[in-house]
Every structure is written in C-alpha cells, then in structure tokens.
Amino acid sequence: MTEFIPPGSRFIDLPSPFPMRRGGEVHGARIAYETWGTLSPARDNALLIVTGLSPDAHAAASDANPEPGWWEAMVGPGKPIDTDRWFVICSNALGSCKGSSGPASINPATGEPYRLDFPELSIEDGAAAAAHVVRALGIGQLACVVGNSMGGMVSLAMLARNPGIARAHINISGAAKALPFSIAIRSLQREAIRLDPQWNNGHYDDDHYPESGMRMARKMGVITYRSALEWDGRFGRVRLDSDRADDEPFGLEFEVESYLEGHARRFVRRFDPNSYLYLSRSMDWFDLGDHCPARGGDAEADTRAGLATIRLEKALAIGATTDILFPLQQQREIAEGLRAGGADAAFLPLPSPQGHDAFLVDFDRFGPAVRGFLDSL
Amino acid sequence: MTEFIPPGSRFIDLPSPFPMRRGGEVHGARIAYETWGTLSPARDNALLIVTGLSPDAHAAASDANPEPGWWEAMVGPGKPIDTDRWFVICSNALGSCKGSSGPASINPATGEPYRLDFPELSIEDGAAAAAHVVRALGIGQLACVVGNSMGGMVSLAMLARNPGIARAHINISGAAKALPFSIAIRSLQREAIRLDPQWNNGHYDDDHYPESGMRMARKMGVITYRSALEWDGRFGRVRLDSDRADDEPFGLEFEVESYLEGHARRFVRRFDPNSYLYLSRSMDWFDLGDHCPARGGDAEADTRAGLATIRLEKALAIGATTDILFPLQQQREIAEGLRAGGADAAFLPLPSPQGHDAFLVDFDRFGPAVRGFLDSL
C-alpha cells in the first residue's frame, strides 16, 4: 500500500468534500502537479498536460526534480511543448498513487488507506479535479489542453463540462468512449489482479502483494500497447541465451518473453494495484455521449453530439495507425465531433509502428505534429 | 485429466516408437480421424483437413456421429468442401486431448497419464503424424491439404518434409513461422495456466483443476481471435441487466465481459490444460525456415527458402484483414514462397471483421473462396 510521489511535486487541495459522480465523496483530497515555464502577465499561455493511466506529474526535468520526466523529449525549452513560450502544467490523475488522492491514500476518517472504500472513480471526476487545478492556479482559460490516452478521455470530459476552459486541444491516442475490445482487455487485466489470492479484496501489503496478478496485467498491457509490426522487427524469433532462459516447464525462451517479463517486473511494485483497478474501470465507463443534451437510441450519434457540445477554437486529434487499444477511428471521431461543434479541428493519423504507446516513444512523428499545432496558435 | 473423444472416431496407430523431433519418443501412440465421402478407385480425390489448436476430428456430421461438426458449413455434400467429389479426412492433432495421443493420454510405461512426461511437441511431429495417417489410409498423394491456423503450420511442415504428398494446398489464416507478437500472447496464456496453483506442474485432477488459469487463457484467446471492429458492432457499450451483473468489486458489468466469461466457461473443462500448453508452445517453436536447405543469417530469407522447397501444382493462402494473431502478411508470405517453389499460388485477403476466427464463422466469404479453388482443381 504505497504511494509513489516524485520529489518536487506540488499539491492543490480539492474542495472538501469532493463529490464523486457515481456517488460518495472524498474528504481532504489533493492533486499532485508540476509546472514548467512562466505564466504570462495576461495569464494566456497556460497549457495543461493530462496523462494516461500510469504516469505521474513529472513530465519533464525541473529545478525541483532534475530527473528526466516521462515526456522529456516533448516538454522543455525549445521542445515541441516549448516551455520558453508556454506555462506548462502537468497533473497526476485523481485515483492514481503518485501524489493525487486515490485508493492508496489515507482516508482521514479512519487513518488507514482507503483501499476499496475509495468511492467509485469516473473519468468525469478526474476531469473535475483537473479543472479545479486550473482554476486554483488562477488561470481563467487554458491556451491548450493536451491529453494522452486516458488523459484524452479526461480532457474531453473537462472541456464538455467546463465551457470556455480552453481555447485549443490536442487529443493524442484518446477516445470519446470506451470500445468493447478495449473493455475486454482491461477487464481481463483486472481479472488477473482479482484472481491473485494476494490481492485479497484490496487488503494486500508489501509482504503479501498481488505480484503475479500485477505482472500478468502489465504484460497484457504491454502487448496491447504495442503492435505486431514493431515486435517483428525488434525481436523476430531471437531466443534467450541458455543462461537467461527459464528451466521451468513452458518457461521463458524467446527474447520477446523476456522483454515482457522485464517490463512487468519494473512495473508491479511501482504502481498500486487498487489504483490500477480504479483507473482501469473508469475508462470502461467513459462515454462522452452521456453528456450530450438529448440522448437518442443511437450511441454513435450520442457520442458525436457529446463532442459537438464542446467549444474550441482549434483542435488536433492524433492517433497511431497500429493502435489496437484506442484505434484510429476514435481519433477521427473526435476530430469530426469537435469540428461539428465549431472548432477548426484536424485529424492526424501517424504511421507509427509502436501502437498505442507511440506517443511515448515515436518523437520523430509526434514531436513535429504537436509542435506544428502549437506554433499555429 | 480427461480426453474428449467424439463418438464415431476412428484411430490409426503411429509407428511405435514414434520419434519426436526435439527428443524422446512415444510408444503406442495413435491419431483420431474421421472421413466423409468415398475414395475413388484411382485414389486421387483425397483431401486432408488439418485443424487448429482446439478442434477434434469431427469436422462435420457423419453416419457414425450425426452431431454437427466444427466446420459443418464447409464440409458435406454440395458444400464448399464437397464430399460428393472429395474423400475428406480430418485428423485430430498429435498432442491434443480429443482422441490423438498427447499429455492427457495414458503412458503405457506407467499406466498413468503422461502429463508433462509427454515429450516436447513440435509442429513437425504433428506433420509426421498427419503424413502417416495419409499413408496408412493407402493414399499415395492427396489431391489437396487444407490447413487452418495451427493446421496451416502443420500442413506446411508436412508438405516440406514429405515431397509429393499433395498436389494442392489451401492455407487458411496460417503462418510459416511464429511472430513475436503471437508468441507473446501465447506465452501469457500459458503463464496464466502455470500461475494457477491448481495446475500443480501438470498434476491436476477434476477436483483440483486449473479452472481460473484456463479461463484467463481462453479469454485472452477469444480477445485475440476476434477483432475490435466486430465487437464494436456486436456489443457496443451494452451493459448487463442488474440480475446478470456481478456484485464482486470490479466484477462483470458489460455485455462483452459476459460474452468472454461464457466462452471461457464452456472451454475450460473441455480441453486438457497440459495439452493446451504443449500445442501452444509447439506453435511458438515453428519456423519453416528451419527446413530450408542452407540457412543464412536472414530469417526472412530462410522462411522464404523453406517455403520454396515445397512442390505443389496449385495453392491458395487465405487470411482475414482483421487477424492480429496470424496477420495477413503471413499469408502473403506463404503464397509468395510457394510461388517461388513453382506452384500456381494465390494470396486472398478477405475483409472479414471476425479476425483470426473468421474461417470458423464467416462462411459467406470463406465458403466461396475455398469452393472456387477446389472447383479449379
């Protein structure tokens, strides 16, 4: 039951109690964030980065924390998100275990971690928390909100529920609603954790930890975040040296299996399993169509209508052609929906081989795309 | 530890001992098979169906077993594989638990099931067994061998190692080698079974059975056998009625989760877990490039060379555009390789939304494709 709070994090208290969309409320909740650059006197150069499921608020190195951040290549002086021009804010998601309140945080009512007593978490709750961060920093209107993956969902919910909160938006590998294929994969990841006897309905500790379940969940994630195409070129059919292969029956033998194992081992003790379950489920529940003014029987139409309620000057939806988790059609839907709402909105499919994770690694493609859009603002 | 042998199965004994490619040998092994139609006096109308991982030999209803078979729409009088014309043979895979010898069979040396004492199984062993079935039935040359999925791998190995055994070949959603993405998915499925304490290194029984592990493995299979596109149309974001939803924390809530659960529950007690592990691993190991006369350092070239050693008059490689497990490029590679070997070989990508499993359900597309090829022979 550990939180993983990067040094140099700052915090903003949420209103207390903070009501949650699906019921219940949180007392004394807070959101971790970092900033880079300087807010202009007119307060018109603020850019908010809304993250995917696992990152913390440390998107890039800063004076307070010189360690490279998870989007180091994208955020900094002269970089695509240029901190010489923009006052950049990155907040850690509500429900996460990296500084913001979530299932791993202490419940002030009991002095113990919330665990499964944390209220049900929705994307809209994360959006409300992010909007509060913006207001608490004294920013009336963001110049741009950039949302990646789950952060793309949170961004859309924030824009829909807080008219005028931003002038522009970049949605990267995001979605206006969860698709059944993605729900199925996430459901299976959660099942792997829930099946681990050490999960114990959320009552694990460091000595009794759902290590196997988390490892399985993470491996499924890594498989679905990437793409067959990339792995073929990267691993082919290379086998492990005999000293690295696994003697267990049906144990590791191919390089790709070892890669997965390494990725999973690095993750399992660095992310709280209950947080993972909450954030994962929040994505399944998300459908911007729930926000459209008049729901019809047609789910597609609802989603489009939900998007069209959003008012932006300019928007860009970027996706990777090889993404199977948030497939390209979802970014096209976002661009078309935002355009229907009056935005000058473009859809940009990038032929990255790296699947859903491309925005975290394919800076040759994502860098110029983001830079070009921001330069045009 | 159960075998699931369809009524009406017939058996052919393999040579005893039957040597296995990766070492060891099996004594008293047999292959289950069924046939439909009549072998012509010239013995030139035999067609062998080589199955994927899970099917038995009961491809279609017969006098001995009137139950519909797993490829009922494709095999029968007047159907795409027309039993009025062809003498159709379908054999159960070596290593399976559906009549052919495998880990669930009795080891004559001990009187107990083999479990993990069954020798390591390779695709080539399955190919040798299938070739023996053909010879034992008195057939010098097959008119055609039709291999699906894993059966596509077995067919290629059989063709490469038994020159002249067939005049024509249809490879459906098959592959000449395993790709790392597919290896990763299968590795994770095996890990789910191995992590289940009830698996117990293969020493389970009906009362202590790796039910959870098998359920996870099967769900991963179902997810990767199908495609995002199909599921979007089929399930959308439909939720379960409250009486069908699951009260457990993070339990089932969406229709797609219930569909997966139902599929998995039907499978777990109908397939032997050890057999599953053996057959799954055999696919990872397969690379037809191993059979090419002079191996170079270039794995792609090796695979092509392996394919080009096969002599056929005519061939067809069919794939589904939405298959992520045996992606289309692999069927293209087969057609090009067989063409390099002198065959009149065509590649036919079909825009089925059903992914890898399309050949089991999309008869509107796969039926005419198979029929058209067989009519041309």
Side-chain angles (χ1 to χ4, degrees), chain A residues 82-130:
Chain A
D82 186 352
T83 52
D84 287 338
R85 176 178 177 197
W86 305 106
F87 174 63
V88 177
I89 311 152
C90 182
S91 59
N92 178 232
L94 180 66
S96 176
C97 51
K98 297 187 171 173
S100 295
S101 296
S105 312
I106 298 299
N107 179 351
T110 64
E112 297 287 326
Y114 280 103
R115 304 183 187 270
L116 302 199
D117 290 335
F118 198 79
E120 287 188 344
L121 177 75
S122 71
I123 289 291
E124 287 81 356
D125 299 318

Side-chain angles (χ1 to χ4, degrees), chain A residues 187 191 219 251 257 281, chain B residues 187 191 219 237 251 257 281:
Chain A
S187 173
E191 187 169 353
K219 286 186 181 181
E257 294 177 281
R281 194 46 139 175
Chain B
S187 174
E191 187 169 353
K219 286 186 181 181
R237 298 182 39 77
E257 295 177 279
R281 194 48 138 174

Side-chain angles (χ1 to χ4, degrees), chain B residues 73-84:
Chain B
M74 292 290 281
V75 180
K79 293 184 181 171
I81 299 177
D82 186 350
T83 53
D84 286 339

Side-chain angles (χ1 to χ4, degrees), chain A residues 178-181 184 187-188 191 194 215 219 223 231-232 237 249-251 253 257 281 284-287, chain B residues 178-181 187-188 191 194 215 219 223 231-232 237 239 249-251 253 257 281 284-287:
Chain A
L179 294 181
F181 190 76
S187 173
L188 210 51
E191 187 169 353
R194 292 164 58 215
R215 211 167 65 226
K219 286 186 181 181
I223 287 176
W231 284 13
D232 197 20
R237 297 181 42 77
F250 307 100
E253 179 177 336
E257 294 177 281
R281 194 46 139 175
D284 293 358
W285 283 328
F286 184 59
D287 182 355
Chain B
L179 294 180
F181 191 76
S187 174
L188 210 51
E191 187 169 353
R194 292 164 56 215
R215 210 168 65 228
K219 286 186 181 181
I223 287 175
W231 285 13
D232 197 20
R237 298 182 39 77
R239 284 174 161 81
F250 307 101
E253 181 178 335
E257 295 177 279
R281 194 48 138 174
D284 293 357
W285 283 328
F286 184 59
D287 182 355

